[in-house]
Amino acid sequence: MRKIWFYVTLMVVFGMFLPLVRAAELPSVSRVLDYALCRGLDQDGLPLERIEQFSTEDGKIICWVFLEEVLEGETLRWEFISPEGAVFESILVIEETKKYVGAQGILDLLSNASKIVPGEWKVRFYVNDRLVFEDGFVLIESNVLGSKDIDEAIQRTIALLEEFGYKVLNIGLSEDNQAFVQMQMVSKDLSQAVWNQIGFGFESLRRLFPGASWFLVQLVLDGEYALSFQVRALDFLLWREGKLSKDEFWKKKVIRYVYNIREKKEIEDVSRFYFEKFGVVY
């Protein structure tokens, strides 16, 4: 698949790894070592991303919890609470004592579509009816799939991305069947916000152009560099379905390249660029 450079709007594609530690503090008295809100889990049972914003077309919202010293017969319970106070429960009874367990509570947006409302939600996690933690997330209304034509779908996608806080520069489908979206990079470093932006970009392209062969998220940094993050549509879908590990997806399936906008040339040593610009090695 050929590379695409947009000299006027600029861009970038890159792929590092999602950090494993969530910023929120966990209660020291609990046995919870980590937790995350996400759309899915990878092949290793780890969160695909760590996000606090979802759309009503995401299908489901997962609250993943990693615990230690879990005993047979213990009950794990999640409460997803809507802005109106409606409670949606997800319950898991532990069948076998284990040293470490990764568990998930699910809010099914599809089966509960008539009851789901956008706004600020809460999720509470209990072990044996004892509250361990509470967190919040935002659910944003989306109706891209209900668009009457591709033009309306594109406009709704741009509006949705902007609801998430992303400035869209361009979006479309190239002649060689590559779906692309250009956005301004939300952060000057490789923070969690940037990885979330890439994920939202890929997911938006999947819904907008389901027949595309490749997806390309292009981020513009300070009007100087275009970082590109390119992946085969099939590999992205496999990852979303939990059939690829995080490392296999980001390290082996994602193609990264960088373009210097001001000097109008591609940067050949991408690894060196990331180390000098962001202090990271990949």
Side-chain angles (χ1 to χ4, degrees), residues 88-254:
F88 301 82
E89 283 193 338
S90 182
I91 299 175
L92 174 65
V93 178
I94 301 300
E95 297 181 351
E96 179 183 357
T97 297
K98 291 186 177 181
K99 178 67 175 177
Y100 299 106
V101 169
Q104 58 178 313
I106 301 175
L107 173 61
D108 192 327
L109 299 178
L110 295 179
S111 63
N112 294 295
S114 62
K115 305 174 186 177
I116 297 297
V117 296
E120 296 184 2
W121 286 62
K122 294 179 181 179
V123 58
R124 292 172 181 163
F125 176 67
Y126 300 82
V127 176
N128 297 328
D129 291 326
R130 175 174 173 268
L131 179 63
V132 179
F133 68 77
E134 176 182 303
D135 204 350
F137 61 91
V138 177
L139 186 60
I140 298 174
E141 181 70 36
S142 175
N143 192 26
V144 174
L145 299 178
S147 302
K148 62 183 179 181
D149 54 38
I150 187 61
D151 291 333
E152 183 176 74
I154 288 175
Q155 293 306 311
R156 288 182 175 182
T157 298
I158 292 174
L160 179 61
L161 287 168
E162 291 182 348
E163 281 277 352
F164 281 118
Y166 307 135
K167 176 61 177 179
V168 179
L169 303 175
N170 198 3
I171 191 168
L173 184 68
S174 67
E175 294 181 355
D176 53 359
N177 203 34
Q178 176 167 240
F180 62 87
V181 58
Q182 304 166 305
M183 296 179 281
Q184 291 181 352
M185 191 167 166
V186 294
S187 174
K188 293 185 179 182
D189 57 20
L190 297 181
S191 64
Q192 182 66 56
V194 172
W195 304 122
N196 292 344
Q197 183 179 20
I198 296 171
F200 282 129
F202 278 151
E203 187 63 29
S204 297
L205 293 175
R206 182 189 68 81
R207 294 175 190 167
L208 191 56
F209 303 106
S213 299
W214 290 77
F215 298 143
L216 176 65
V217 173
Q218 306 168 330
L219 305 181
V220 178
L221 176 61
D222 293 334
E224 184 175 2
Y225 298 103
L227 291 83
S228 296
F229 195 93
Q230 186 181 42
V231 66
R232 285 198 316 160
L234 177 59
D235 289 330
F236 176 71
L237 293 178
L238 290 174
W239 182 60
R240 273 287 177 215
E241 293 171 358
K243 297 177 181 178
L244 292 175
S245 69
K246 180 183 64 176
D247 283 351
E248 184 176 6
F249 178 73
W250 293 109
K251 293 180 180 180
K252 297 181 180 180
K253 303 300 183 181
V254 171

